[in-house]
Amino acid sequence: MNVYIVVEGDKTELSVYPAWLGLLAPQLERIDDVWEVSDNNYYIFSAGGIPSIYNHVSNAVADINDINRGNHKFDYLLVCLDTEEESRQYLEDCINEKLKKDNRVLEHTKMIIFEHKVCMETWFLGNKTVFKENPQAQEYLRFINYYNVGRKDPEQMGNIDSEKFGSKAQFHHQSTCG
Amino acid sequence: MKLESLSFKNNKTGWNIKDINFDDLTLLVGASGVGKTQILHALKKLSSIARGRSYNGLEWRVSFSQDNKMYSWKGQFKTVQEADINVFEINDIEYEIINESLSEGETNIFTRDTSKLVYNNKETVKLDASKSAVELLKEESLVEPVYKAFRKLYQLNSENRGIIFNSIIRNSKKSTMCLSDIKNSEALTPILKIFFLKKNKLKEFEIIQERFKEIFPLVEKIDITLGILFNEETYPVLRMKEKGVDAWIFQNEISSGMYRSLSQIITLTLAEDGDVILIDEFENGLGVNCIDQLAELVTYPESNIQVIMTSHHPYIINTIPYSRWKIVTRKGCDVDIHTAAELNIGEHSKHDAFMQLIQTSAYKTGRL
Protein backbone atom coordinates (compact mmCIF):
# COMPACT_ATOMS: atom_id res chain seq x y z
CA MET A 1 0.00 0.00 0.00
CA ASN A 2 1.21 3.49 -0.87
CA VAL A 3 -0.29 6.73 0.37
CA TYR A 4 0.12 10.29 -0.91
CA ILE A 5 -0.75 12.73 1.89
CA VAL A 6 -1.42 16.43 1.36
CA VAL A 7 -1.48 18.41 4.60
CA GLU A 8 -2.47 22.00 5.04
CA GLY A 9 0.28 23.26 7.34
CA ASP A 10 4.05 23.04 7.39
CA LYS A 11 4.77 22.39 11.06
CA THR A 12 2.22 20.57 13.25
CA GLU A 13 1.02 18.12 10.62
CA LEU A 14 4.56 17.35 9.50
CA SER A 15 5.40 16.33 13.06
CA VAL A 16 2.18 14.58 14.01
CA TYR A 17 1.30 12.53 10.93
CA PRO A 18 4.67 10.76 10.66
CA ALA A 19 4.52 10.04 14.42
CA TRP A 20 1.00 8.63 14.11
CA LEU A 21 1.84 6.59 11.06
CA GLY A 22 4.81 5.16 12.89
CA LEU A 23 2.33 3.68 15.39
CA LEU A 24 -0.71 3.01 13.20
CA ALA A 25 1.02 1.76 10.07
CA PRO A 26 4.62 0.98 10.98
CA GLN A 27 5.06 -0.92 7.73
CA LEU A 28 4.85 2.37 5.81
CA GLU A 29 8.13 4.11 5.10
CA ARG A 30 8.26 7.81 4.33
CA ILE A 31 9.83 8.87 1.04
CA ASP A 32 11.30 12.28 0.26
CA ASP A 33 10.92 11.96 -3.52
CA VAL A 34 7.42 10.97 -4.57
CA TRP A 35 8.67 9.64 -7.91
CA GLU A 36 10.66 6.97 -6.10
CA VAL A 37 7.58 5.31 -4.63
CA SER A 38 7.80 1.52 -4.54
CA ASP A 39 5.90 -0.55 -1.94
CA ASN A 40 4.60 0.44 1.49
CA ASN A 41 5.59 4.06 1.16
CA TYR A 42 3.97 7.31 2.11
CA TYR A 43 4.77 10.82 0.90
CA ILE A 44 3.73 14.03 2.67
CA PHE A 45 3.24 17.25 0.74
CA SER A 46 2.91 20.41 2.80
CA ALA A 47 0.52 22.77 1.04
CA GLY A 48 1.14 26.02 2.88
CA GLY A 49 -2.41 26.77 4.02
CA ILE A 50 -5.82 27.52 2.60
CA PRO A 51 -6.76 28.28 -0.16
CA SER A 52 -3.51 27.23 -1.85
CA ILE A 53 -4.09 23.63 -0.70
CA TYR A 54 -6.83 23.25 -3.35
CA ASN A 55 -4.31 24.01 -6.13
CA HIS A 56 -1.84 21.59 -4.61
CA VAL A 57 -4.43 18.82 -4.27
CA SER A 58 -5.23 19.26 -7.96
CA ASN A 59 -1.51 19.11 -8.85
CA ALA A 60 -1.10 16.06 -6.61
CA VAL A 61 -3.93 14.33 -8.50
CA ALA A 62 -2.12 15.01 -11.79
CA ASP A 63 1.18 13.68 -10.40
CA ILE A 64 -0.46 10.56 -8.93
CA ASN A 65 -2.13 9.81 -12.28
CA ASP A 66 1.24 10.22 -14.02
CA ILE A 67 3.03 8.01 -11.50
CA ASN A 68 0.28 5.36 -11.66
CA ARG A 69 0.24 5.31 -15.45
CA GLY A 70 1.32 1.87 -16.57
CA ASN A 71 2.37 0.82 -13.09
CA HIS A 72 -0.22 1.36 -10.40
CA LYS A 73 1.46 2.67 -7.26
CA PHE A 74 -0.70 4.90 -5.13
CA ASP A 75 -3.74 3.42 -3.39
CA TYR A 76 -4.81 6.47 -1.44
CA LEU A 77 -4.66 10.24 -1.62
CA LEU A 78 -5.23 11.54 1.88
CA VAL A 79 -6.12 15.24 2.10
CA CYS A 80 -5.82 16.58 5.64
CA LEU A 81 -7.19 20.02 6.31
CA ASP A 82 -8.80 22.19 8.94
CA THR A 83 -12.51 22.90 8.71
CA GLU A 84 -12.08 26.14 10.66
CA GLU A 85 -15.48 27.86 10.32
CA GLU A 86 -16.65 25.65 7.44
CA SER A 87 -18.26 22.23 7.07
CA ARG A 88 -16.70 19.06 5.67
CA GLN A 89 -19.10 19.32 2.74
CA TYR A 90 -17.73 22.77 1.92
CA LEU A 91 -14.15 21.40 1.81
CA GLU A 92 -15.21 18.52 -0.44
CA ASP A 93 -16.99 20.95 -2.75
CA CYS A 94 -13.92 23.19 -2.96
CA ILE A 95 -11.69 20.24 -3.88
CA ASN A 96 -14.14 18.87 -6.45
CA GLU A 97 -14.71 22.29 -8.02
CA LYS A 98 -10.97 22.81 -8.39
CA LEU A 99 -10.49 19.38 -9.97
CA LYS A 100 -13.39 20.01 -12.33
CA LYS A 101 -11.99 23.42 -13.29
CA ASP A 102 -8.56 21.86 -13.98
CA ASN A 103 -10.23 18.99 -15.83
CA ARG A 104 -8.58 16.38 -13.63
CA VAL A 105 -9.99 13.12 -12.28
CA LEU A 106 -8.13 10.93 -9.81
CA GLU A 107 -7.73 7.53 -11.46
CA HIS A 108 -7.31 4.14 -9.72
CA THR A 109 -6.62 5.84 -6.39
CA LYS A 110 -9.07 6.60 -3.61
CA MET A 111 -9.20 10.12 -2.25
CA ILE A 112 -9.95 10.41 1.45
CA ILE A 113 -10.63 13.78 2.98
CA PHE A 114 -9.50 13.84 6.55
CA GLU A 115 -10.87 16.95 8.15
CA HIS A 116 -9.61 18.42 11.41
CA LYS A 117 -12.65 19.90 13.07
CA VAL A 118 -11.90 22.89 13.84
CA CYS A 119 -8.14 22.45 13.45
CA MET A 120 -5.57 19.88 14.44
CA GLU A 121 -4.93 21.62 17.76
CA THR A 122 -8.63 21.11 18.60
CA TRP A 123 -7.92 17.40 18.75
CA PHE A 124 -5.01 17.99 21.08
CA LEU A 125 -7.37 19.76 23.51
CA GLY A 126 -9.23 16.46 23.83
CA ASN A 127 -6.02 14.77 24.93
CA LYS A 128 -5.72 14.67 28.73
CA THR A 129 -1.95 14.95 28.63
CA VAL A 130 -2.15 18.16 26.62
CA PHE A 131 -5.05 19.80 28.43
CA LYS A 132 -4.31 20.91 32.00
CA GLU A 133 -7.30 21.21 34.34
CA ASN A 134 -5.49 23.66 36.62
CA PRO A 135 -3.44 26.11 34.57
CA GLN A 136 -1.59 28.83 36.49
CA ALA A 137 -1.95 31.63 34.00
CA GLN A 138 -5.03 33.83 34.40
CA GLU A 139 -5.59 33.81 30.68
CA TYR A 140 -6.06 30.05 30.58
CA LEU A 141 -8.33 30.11 33.61
CA ARG A 142 -10.46 32.55 31.64
CA PHE A 143 -10.43 30.12 28.69
CA ILE A 144 -11.62 27.27 30.95
CA ASN A 145 -14.37 29.41 32.40
CA TYR A 146 -15.47 30.18 28.86
CA TYR A 147 -15.46 26.54 27.76
CA ASN A 148 -14.00 23.62 29.67
CA VAL A 149 -12.60 21.26 27.06
CA GLY A 150 -11.85 18.78 29.88
CA ARG A 151 -15.57 18.14 30.22
CA LYS A 152 -17.02 19.17 26.90
CA ASP A 153 -16.27 18.32 23.29
CA PRO A 154 -13.42 20.58 22.04
CA GLU A 155 -14.82 20.42 18.50
CA GLN A 156 -17.86 22.37 19.72
CA MET A 157 -15.81 25.16 21.31
CA GLY A 158 -16.28 28.63 19.81
CA ASN A 159 -14.02 31.69 19.93
CA ILE A 160 -13.70 33.57 23.21
CA ASP A 161 -12.68 36.83 21.59
CA SER A 162 -12.96 37.21 17.85
CA GLU A 163 -11.09 40.53 17.90
CA LYS A 164 -8.08 39.09 19.69
CA PHE A 165 -8.18 35.71 17.93
CA GLY A 166 -8.99 36.27 14.27
CA SER A 167 -10.59 32.84 13.89
CA LYS A 168 -11.89 29.95 15.94
CA ALA A 169 -8.83 27.95 14.87
CA GLN A 170 -6.47 30.62 16.24
CA PHE A 171 -8.21 30.48 19.61
CA HIS A 172 -8.05 26.68 19.63
CA HIS A 173 -4.36 26.85 18.79
CA GLN A 174 -3.74 29.38 21.56
CA SER A 175 -5.65 27.18 24.02
CA THR A 176 -3.15 24.36 23.51
CA CYS A 177 -0.30 26.63 24.65
CA GLY A 178 -1.52 26.72 28.27
CA MET B 1 35.63 36.85 -15.44
CA LYS B 2 33.17 34.04 -15.22
CA LEU B 3 33.52 31.57 -12.39
CA GLU B 4 32.94 27.99 -13.44
CA SER B 5 33.57 25.89 -10.34
CA LEU B 6 34.99 26.01 -6.84
CA SER B 7 36.23 23.68 -4.13
CA PHE B 8 37.33 25.35 -0.93
CA LYS B 9 38.54 23.87 2.31
CA ASN B 10 39.68 25.36 5.59
CA ASN B 11 42.09 22.80 7.02
CA LYS B 12 42.16 24.62 10.38
CA THR B 13 38.39 24.47 10.98
CA GLY B 14 37.58 21.53 8.72
CA TRP B 15 34.92 23.45 6.75
CA ASN B 16 34.86 21.96 3.30
CA ILE B 17 32.86 23.35 0.39
CA LYS B 18 32.72 20.59 -2.16
CA ASP B 19 32.61 21.15 -5.92
CA ILE B 20 30.16 23.89 -6.74
CA ASN B 21 29.46 24.89 -10.34
CA PHE B 22 28.34 28.40 -11.18
CA ASP B 23 26.06 29.76 -13.89
CA ASP B 24 25.64 33.36 -15.07
CA LEU B 25 23.12 33.61 -12.27
CA THR B 26 23.50 31.26 -9.33
CA LEU B 27 20.98 31.28 -6.51
CA LEU B 28 22.15 29.55 -3.35
CA VAL B 29 19.20 28.29 -1.33
CA GLY B 30 18.88 26.15 1.77
CA ALA B 31 18.16 26.08 5.47
CA SER B 32 19.81 28.67 7.71
CA GLY B 33 23.31 27.72 8.81
CA VAL B 34 24.13 25.29 6.00
CA GLY B 35 26.93 27.43 4.57
CA LYS B 36 25.46 29.59 1.81
CA THR B 37 27.16 32.73 3.08
CA GLN B 38 30.38 30.74 3.63
CA ILE B 39 30.46 30.13 -0.12
CA LEU B 40 30.33 33.88 -0.76
CA HIS B 41 33.02 34.43 1.88
CA ALA B 42 35.18 31.78 0.21
CA LEU B 43 34.97 33.64 -3.10
CA LYS B 44 35.89 36.93 -1.44
CA LYS B 45 38.85 35.25 0.23
CA LEU B 46 40.04 33.97 -3.15
CA SER B 47 39.95 37.54 -4.42
CA SER B 48 42.04 38.61 -1.42
CA ILE B 49 44.49 35.74 -1.92
CA ALA B 50 44.97 36.87 -5.52
CA ARG B 51 46.00 40.26 -4.07
CA GLY B 52 48.57 38.76 -1.72
CA ARG B 53 46.65 38.03 1.46
CA SER B 54 47.38 34.83 3.34
CA TYR B 55 44.97 32.67 5.35
CA ASN B 56 45.69 29.94 7.83
CA GLY B 57 45.01 26.47 6.41
CA LEU B 58 43.01 27.43 3.33
CA GLU B 59 43.04 25.15 0.32
CA TRP B 60 41.26 25.94 -2.92
CA ARG B 61 40.66 24.90 -6.50
CA VAL B 62 38.82 27.28 -8.79
CA SER B 63 38.07 27.23 -12.52
CA PHE B 64 37.09 30.35 -14.39
CA SER B 65 37.21 32.00 -17.76
CA GLN B 66 38.71 35.35 -18.62
CA ASP B 67 39.05 36.84 -22.11
CA ASN B 68 37.71 33.58 -23.59
CA LYS B 69 40.42 31.50 -21.93
CA MET B 70 39.77 28.83 -19.32
CA TYR B 71 41.94 28.90 -16.22
CA SER B 72 42.41 26.59 -13.28
CA TRP B 73 44.03 27.93 -10.12
CA LYS B 74 44.65 25.87 -7.04
CA GLY B 75 46.71 26.17 -3.92
CA GLN B 76 47.07 25.54 -0.23
CA PHE B 77 48.34 27.50 2.76
CA LYS B 78 50.14 25.87 5.65
CA THR B 79 47.88 25.07 8.61
CA VAL B 80 49.04 26.49 11.93
CA GLN B 81 47.22 25.34 15.06
CA GLU B 82 45.69 28.09 17.22
CA ALA B 83 47.77 27.06 20.21
CA ASP B 84 50.90 27.96 18.26
CA ILE B 85 49.70 31.48 17.48
CA ASN B 86 50.40 34.45 19.72
CA VAL B 87 47.03 36.25 19.82
CA PHE B 88 48.75 39.63 20.13
CA GLU B 89 50.46 39.08 16.81
CA ILE B 90 47.58 37.41 15.00
CA ASN B 91 47.09 40.25 12.55
CA ASP B 92 50.74 40.25 11.58
CA ILE B 93 51.03 36.54 10.96
CA GLU B 94 51.46 35.39 7.42
CA TYR B 95 50.96 31.80 6.38
CA GLU B 96 53.20 30.03 3.95
CA ILE B 97 51.81 28.69 0.71
CA ILE B 98 52.79 25.02 0.49
CA ASN B 99 51.62 24.49 -3.07
CA GLU B 100 50.04 26.54 -5.82
CA SER B 101 49.52 26.23 -9.54
CA LEU B 102 47.86 28.09 -12.36
CA SER B 103 47.10 26.72 -15.78
CA GLU B 104 45.35 28.01 -18.85
CA GLY B 105 43.65 25.14 -20.63
CA GLU B 106 46.26 22.38 -20.69
CA THR B 107 49.17 24.82 -20.43
CA ASN B 108 50.84 25.27 -17.08
CA ILE B 109 51.58 28.93 -16.24
CA PHE B 110 53.18 28.54 -12.85
CA THR B 111 53.74 25.84 -10.25
CA ARG B 112 55.21 26.29 -6.84
CA ASP B 113 55.97 24.34 -3.71
CA THR B 114 57.90 25.29 -0.60
CA SER B 115 61.23 25.04 -2.40
CA LYS B 116 60.67 26.80 -5.74
CA LEU B 117 58.35 28.73 -8.00
CA VAL B 118 58.42 27.88 -11.69
CA TYR B 119 56.84 30.41 -14.05
CA ASN B 120 56.53 29.66 -17.75
CA ASN B 121 58.95 26.72 -17.33
CA LYS B 122 61.64 28.83 -15.64
CA GLU B 123 62.43 28.92 -11.96
CA THR B 124 62.13 32.39 -10.48
CA VAL B 125 64.27 34.04 -7.86
CA LYS B 126 63.09 33.58 -4.26
CA LEU B 127 59.84 35.43 -3.65
CA ASP B 128 57.56 36.00 -0.67
CA ALA B 129 56.33 32.52 0.39
CA SER B 130 53.11 33.84 1.95
CA LYS B 131 51.82 35.64 -1.12
CA SER B 132 50.06 34.00 -4.02
CA ALA B 133 52.09 33.89 -7.22
CA VAL B 134 49.11 35.64 -8.85
CA GLU B 135 50.03 38.72 -6.80
CA LEU B 136 53.79 38.20 -7.11
CA LEU B 137 53.71 37.74 -10.89
CA LYS B 138 50.83 40.11 -11.70
CA GLU B 139 53.03 42.16 -14.05
CA GLU B 140 53.73 39.09 -16.18
CA SER B 141 51.59 38.88 -19.29
CA LEU B 142 50.38 35.32 -18.58
CA VAL B 143 49.30 36.12 -15.01
CA GLU B 144 48.01 39.67 -15.42
CA PRO B 145 44.57 38.61 -16.78
CA VAL B 146 44.06 36.37 -13.75
CA TYR B 147 45.02 39.12 -11.31
CA LYS B 148 42.63 41.47 -13.08
CA ALA B 149 39.89 38.84 -13.18
CA PHE B 150 39.76 38.54 -9.40
CA ARG B 151 39.57 42.31 -9.01
CA LYS B 152 36.24 42.09 -10.80
CA LEU B 153 34.73 40.03 -8.02
CA TYR B 154 32.97 42.04 -5.31
CA GLN B 155 30.08 41.91 -2.89
CA LEU B 156 27.11 44.24 -2.96
CA ASN B 157 27.72 46.65 -0.12
CA SER B 158 24.53 48.25 1.11
CA GLU B 159 24.93 48.21 4.83
CA ASN B 160 27.24 51.11 5.49
CA ARG B 161 25.17 54.18 6.24
CA GLY B 162 27.75 55.98 8.32
CA ILE B 163 29.68 58.99 7.22
CA ILE B 164 32.62 57.92 5.13
CA PHE B 165 35.51 60.23 4.78
CA ASN B 166 38.82 59.10 3.47
CA SER B 167 41.67 60.35 1.37
CA ILE B 168 40.03 59.17 -1.85
CA ILE B 169 37.01 61.36 -1.18
CA ARG B 170 39.18 64.26 -0.09
CA ASN B 171 41.34 64.07 -3.21
CA SER B 172 38.52 63.24 -5.60
CA LYS B 173 36.47 66.19 -4.52
CA LYS B 174 39.03 68.46 -6.06
CA SER B 175 39.68 66.53 -9.25
CA THR B 176 37.59 65.14 -12.06
CA MET B 177 36.75 61.43 -12.00
CA CYS B 178 35.75 59.52 -15.10
CA LEU B 179 33.14 56.75 -15.09
CA SER B 180 35.68 53.93 -14.93
CA ASP B 181 37.46 55.58 -11.95
CA ILE B 182 34.16 55.63 -10.10
CA LYS B 183 33.12 52.14 -11.17
CA ASN B 184 36.41 50.58 -10.21
CA SER B 185 37.11 52.39 -6.97
CA GLU B 186 36.81 49.74 -4.29
CA ALA B 187 36.96 52.33 -1.53
CA LEU B 188 33.65 53.87 -2.58
CA THR B 189 30.31 52.63 -1.26
CA PRO B 190 27.43 52.67 -3.75
CA ILE B 191 26.15 55.91 -2.20
CA LEU B 192 29.53 57.58 -2.61
CA LYS B 193 29.59 56.39 -6.19
CA ILE B 194 26.44 58.33 -7.02
CA PHE B 195 27.92 61.33 -5.27
CA PHE B 196 30.82 61.27 -7.71
CA LEU B 197 28.57 60.45 -10.68
CA LYS B 198 26.57 63.58 -9.92
CA LYS B 199 29.57 65.73 -9.16
CA ASN B 200 31.18 64.76 -12.45
CA LYS B 201 27.90 65.25 -14.32
CA LEU B 202 27.82 61.69 -15.66
CA LYS B 203 24.61 60.46 -17.27
CA GLU B 204 24.59 57.32 -15.11
CA PHE B 205 23.38 59.47 -12.21
CA GLU B 206 20.18 60.22 -14.12
CA ILE B 207 19.79 56.57 -15.19
CA ILE B 208 20.06 55.43 -11.58
CA GLN B 209 17.65 58.11 -10.42
CA GLU B 210 15.07 57.14 -13.06
CA ARG B 211 15.34 53.44 -12.21
CA PHE B 212 14.89 54.23 -8.56
CA LYS B 213 11.86 56.44 -9.28
CA GLU B 214 10.27 53.64 -11.33
CA ILE B 215 10.33 51.47 -8.21
CA PHE B 216 9.44 54.27 -5.80
CA PRO B 217 7.10 56.53 -7.79
CA LEU B 218 6.60 58.84 -4.83
CA VAL B 219 10.24 59.87 -4.98
CA GLU B 220 10.69 63.03 -6.99
CA LYS B 221 14.40 63.56 -6.74
CA ILE B 222 17.60 62.01 -5.41
CA ASP B 223 20.31 64.39 -4.42
CA ILE B 224 23.62 64.50 -2.65
CA THR B 225 24.29 67.36 -0.35
CA LEU B 226 27.29 68.10 1.82
CA GLY B 227 27.48 67.81 5.57
CA ILE B 228 30.08 69.80 7.49
CA LEU B 229 32.34 68.33 10.15
CA PHE B 230 33.56 70.25 13.19
CA ASN B 231 36.85 70.96 11.39
CA GLU B 232 34.87 72.41 8.50
CA GLU B 233 35.65 69.53 6.20
CA THR B 234 32.66 68.41 4.18
CA TYR B 235 31.28 64.94 3.54
CA PRO B 236 28.60 63.71 1.10
CA VAL B 237 25.10 62.99 2.41
CA LEU B 238 22.33 61.32 0.41
CA ARG B 239 18.90 62.90 0.50
CA MET B 240 15.59 62.34 -1.28
CA LYS B 241 12.57 64.47 -2.02
CA GLU B 242 9.12 62.93 -2.13
CA LYS B 243 6.10 64.29 -3.98
CA GLY B 244 3.83 66.31 -1.72
CA VAL B 245 6.40 66.48 1.08
CA ASP B 246 8.30 69.73 1.44
CA ALA B 247 11.16 68.55 3.62
CA TRP B 248 14.03 66.45 2.27
CA ILE B 249 14.55 62.97 3.70
CA PHE B 250 18.17 62.61 4.74
CA GLN B 251 20.43 59.56 4.59
CA ASN B 252 19.90 58.49 8.20
CA GLU B 253 16.09 58.71 7.80
CA ILE B 254 15.78 56.77 4.55
CA SER B 255 14.12 53.37 5.01
CA SER B 256 16.39 50.35 4.86
CA GLY B 257 14.45 48.96 1.88
CA MET B 258 14.93 52.17 -0.12
CA TYR B 259 18.58 52.34 0.85
CA ARG B 260 19.25 48.76 -0.16
CA SER B 261 17.26 49.15 -3.39
CA LEU B 262 19.30 52.20 -4.32
CA SER B 263 22.54 50.38 -3.52
CA GLN B 264 21.50 47.44 -5.72
CA ILE B 265 20.49 49.72 -8.59
CA ILE B 266 23.78 51.62 -8.39
CA THR B 267 25.83 48.43 -8.30
CA LEU B 268 23.97 46.80 -11.19
CA THR B 269 23.86 49.97 -13.32
CA LEU B 270 27.60 50.48 -12.95
CA ALA B 271 28.47 46.79 -13.42
CA GLU B 272 30.66 46.03 -16.42
CA ASP B 273 31.06 42.94 -18.56
CA GLY B 274 33.00 40.34 -16.62
CA ASP B 275 32.05 41.57 -13.16
CA VAL B 276 31.13 38.93 -10.59
CA ILE B 277 28.71 40.32 -8.02
CA LEU B 278 27.99 38.55 -4.74
CA ILE B 279 24.71 39.37 -2.99
CA ASP B 280 23.98 37.91 0.43
CA GLU B 281 20.30 37.63 1.37
CA PHE B 282 19.03 39.45 -1.69
CA GLU B 283 15.67 40.26 -0.13
CA ASN B 284 16.94 41.88 3.10
CA GLY B 285 14.86 44.94 3.82
CA LEU B 286 13.06 44.83 0.47
CA GLY B 287 9.29 45.18 0.37
CA VAL B 288 6.87 43.68 -2.13
CA ASN B 289 6.83 46.97 -4.03
CA CYS B 290 10.48 46.66 -5.07
CA ILE B 291 11.51 43.03 -4.81
CA ASP B 292 10.18 42.00 -8.23
CA GLN B 293 11.82 44.83 -10.17
CA LEU B 294 15.15 44.32 -8.42
CA ALA B 295 14.92 40.59 -9.08
CA GLU B 296 14.42 41.40 -12.75
CA LEU B 297 17.57 43.54 -12.75
CA VAL B 298 19.70 40.59 -11.59
CA THR B 299 17.88 38.00 -13.70
CA TYR B 300 18.20 40.00 -16.92
CA PRO B 301 21.17 42.34 -16.43
CA GLU B 302 22.21 44.74 -19.17
CA SER B 303 25.88 43.80 -18.96
CA ASN B 304 27.45 40.41 -19.28
CA ILE B 305 27.89 39.92 -15.54
CA GLN B 306 27.75 36.97 -13.21
CA VAL B 307 25.63 37.15 -10.07
CA ILE B 308 25.98 34.71 -7.18
CA MET B 309 23.44 35.31 -4.46
CA THR B 310 21.63 33.78 -1.53
CA SER B 311 17.94 34.07 -0.70
CA HIS B 312 15.23 32.58 1.48
CA HIS B 313 12.41 34.52 -0.13
CA PRO B 314 9.75 32.46 -1.95
CA TYR B 315 9.21 35.19 -4.57
CA ILE B 316 12.92 35.38 -5.41
CA ILE B 317 13.34 31.62 -5.49
CA ASN B 318 10.21 31.25 -7.62
CA THR B 319 11.25 34.02 -10.01
CA ILE B 320 14.66 32.55 -10.75
CA PRO B 321 14.52 29.44 -12.95
CA TYR B 322 15.13 26.28 -10.95
CA SER B 323 17.98 25.37 -13.27
CA ARG B 324 19.87 28.25 -11.58
CA TRP B 325 19.27 27.01 -8.04
CA LYS B 326 22.01 25.42 -5.99
CA ILE B 327 20.59 23.74 -2.92
CA VAL B 328 23.14 23.79 -0.12
CA THR B 329 23.21 21.12 2.58
CA ARG B 330 25.72 20.40 5.30
CA LYS B 331 26.81 17.35 7.21
CA GLY B 332 29.26 18.29 9.94
CA CYS B 333 31.89 20.42 8.24
CA ASP B 334 31.10 19.19 4.74
CA VAL B 335 29.06 21.62 2.67
CA ASP B 336 27.43 19.92 -0.30
CA ILE B 337 25.76 21.52 -3.26
CA HIS B 338 22.94 19.95 -5.24
CA THR B 339 21.17 20.99 -8.39
CA ALA B 340 17.38 20.99 -8.59
CA ALA B 341 17.66 18.06 -11.00
CA GLU B 342 19.57 16.03 -8.41
CA LEU B 343 16.66 16.52 -6.01
CA ASN B 344 14.29 15.50 -8.81
CA ILE B 345 12.74 18.95 -9.01
CA GLY B 346 11.44 19.70 -12.46
CA GLU B 347 8.61 19.91 -14.91
CA HIS B 348 7.74 16.23 -14.67
CA SER B 349 5.64 17.28 -11.65
CA LYS B 350 2.62 19.57 -11.89
CA HIS B 351 3.58 21.22 -8.63
CA ASP B 352 5.48 24.54 -8.85
CA ALA B 353 9.22 24.07 -8.61
CA PHE B 354 9.30 26.09 -5.38
CA MET B 355 6.61 23.87 -3.82
CA GLN B 356 8.64 20.82 -4.87
CA LEU B 357 11.74 22.36 -3.31
CA ILE B 358 10.17 23.08 0.08
CA GLN B 359 9.00 19.47 0.40
CA THR B 360 12.56 18.15 0.26
CA SER B 361 14.35 17.33 3.48
CA ALA B 362 17.48 18.87 1.90
CA TYR B 363 15.78 22.26 1.92
CA LYS B 364 13.77 21.86 5.12
CA THR B 365 16.48 20.47 7.35
CA GLY B 366 19.69 21.36 5.52
CA ARG B 367 20.70 17.70 5.49
CA LEU B 368 20.45 15.06 2.86
Side-chain angles (χ1 to χ4, degrees), chain B residues 97-245:
Chain B
I97 289 180
I98 51 181
N99 63 67
E100 186 182 11
S101 69
L102 175 70
S103 54
E104 187 247 300
E106 299 297 311
T107 312
N108 182 271
I109 296 175
F110 66 69
T111 312
R112 84 196 288 191
D113 55 26
T114 49
S115 62
K116 63 180 185 295
L117 167 58
V118 177
Y119 167 69
N120 206 9
N121 299 320
K122 287 181 197 147
E123 188 172 339
T124 66
V125 293
K126 281 277 179 197
L127 293 167
D128 190 336
S130 69
K131 285 186 168 47
S132 163
V134 173
E135 158 72 16
L136 298 171
L137 304 174
K138 66 187 176 200
E139 305 294 335
E140 298 289 345
S141 60
L142 295 175
V143 179
E144 186 191 14
V146 173
Y147 179 77
K148 285 188 171 167
F150 278 92
R151 294 198 72 113
K152 292 181 82 67
L153 185 153
Y154 53 92
Q155 180 161 8
L156 173 79
N157 171 4
S158 62
E159 309 306 329
N160 195 338
R161 278 181 184 244
I163 298 166
I164 296 177
F165 203 86
N166 60 27
S167 59
I168 292 181
I169 301 171
R170 194 174 291 122
N171 298 335
S172 315
K173 279 202 301 185
K174 293 170 191 152
S175 59
T176 305
M177 282 177 93
C178 68
L179 183 61
S180 75
D181 289 341
I182 298 169
K183 277 180 174 176
N184 298 324
S185 172
E186 292 170 25
L188 298 181
T189 64
I191 301 303
L192 289 173
K193 285 184 178 178
I194 51 164
F195 166 72
F196 287 111
L197 290 173
K198 181 161 191 268
K199 184 179 174 293
N200 292 282
K201 298 186 172 58
L202 294 167
K203 69 176 190 323
E204 280 70 15
F205 177 84
E206 296 301 329
I207 295 170
I208 289 165
Q209 178 168 247
E210 287 313 307
R211 284 184 172 164
F212 188 75
K213 282 160 64 178
E214 273 174 32
I215 296 176
F216 297 99
L218 285 178
V219 172
E220 198 175 302
K221 200 174 178 187
I222 296 174
D223 189 29
I224 302 281
T225 184
L226 291 174
I228 302 171
L229 288 173
F230 59 91
N231 59 1
E232 302 208 336
E233 277 206 284
T234 54
Y235 60 91
V237 178
L238 172 71
R239 62 178 185 170
M240 289 179 193
K241 179 98 174 51
E242 284 196 344
K243 290 171 189 165
V245 181

Side-chain angles (χ1 to χ4, degrees), chain A residues 44-176:
Chain A
I44 298 190
F45 186 97
S46 163
I50 280 184
S52 68
I53 189 169
Y54 301 121
N55 288 332
H56 302 312
V57 168
S58 173
N59 292 332
V61 164
D63 278 2
I64 290 169
N65 287 342
D66 282 348
I67 292 166
N68 280 349
R69 198 152 291 134
N71 189 6
H72 182 247
K73 287 288 182 189
F74 279 107
D75 304 282
Y76 294 100
L77 166 61
L78 188 61
V79 181
C80 308
L81 70 183
D82 300 341
T83 61
E84 302 217 357
E85 321 284 331
E86 307 294 347
S87 65
R88 178 193 165 94
Q89 189 59 49
Y90 175 82
L91 305 180
E92 279 183 22
D93 292 346
C94 287
I95 291 170
N96 290 330
E97 269 173 37
K98 179 64 183 157
L99 290 174
K100 194 173 169 191
K101 190 177 164 204
D102 293 347
N103 203 16
R104 286 171 176 158
V105 177
L106 184 61
E107 298 158 6
H108 317 298
T109 299
K110 187 171 182 189
M111 175 156 43
I112 295 175
I113 296 170
F114 201 55
E115 84 275 25
H116 313 137
K117 188 183 173 185
V118 172
C119 60
M120 193 168 225
E121 285 78 4
T122 310
W123 292 355
F124 303 159
L125 290 171
N127 184 325
K128 299 292 178 200
T129 60
V130 173
F131 174 70
K132 293 174 191 159
E133 281 278 4
N134 299 305
Q136 297 302 307
Q138 284 298 316
E139 190 181 24
Y140 293 101
L141 288 169
R142 197 164 68 88
F143 290 175
I144 288 175
N145 287 334
Y146 167 71
Y147 190 97
N148 188 340
V149 292
R151 297 186 189 149
K152 293 191 261 184
D153 181 358
E155 291 186 347
Q156 303 303 320
M157 182 167 78
N159 186 354
I160 191 171
D161 184 345
S162 55
E163 280 200 12
K164 186 170 180 184
F165 305 106
S167 67
K168 227 197 285 189
Q170 279 180 24
F171 174 56
H172 287 213
H173 176 264
Q174 187 60 35
S175 298
T176 61

Side-chain angles (χ1 to χ4, degrees), chain B residues 7 31 77 80 100 107 129 164 183 250 252 273 315 317 336 349:
Chain B
S7 296
F77 286 96
V80 180
E100 186 182 11
T107 312
I164 296 177
K183 277 180 174 176
F250 282 85
N252 60 341
D273 288 355
Y315 181 85
I317 301 175
D336 286 298
S349 170

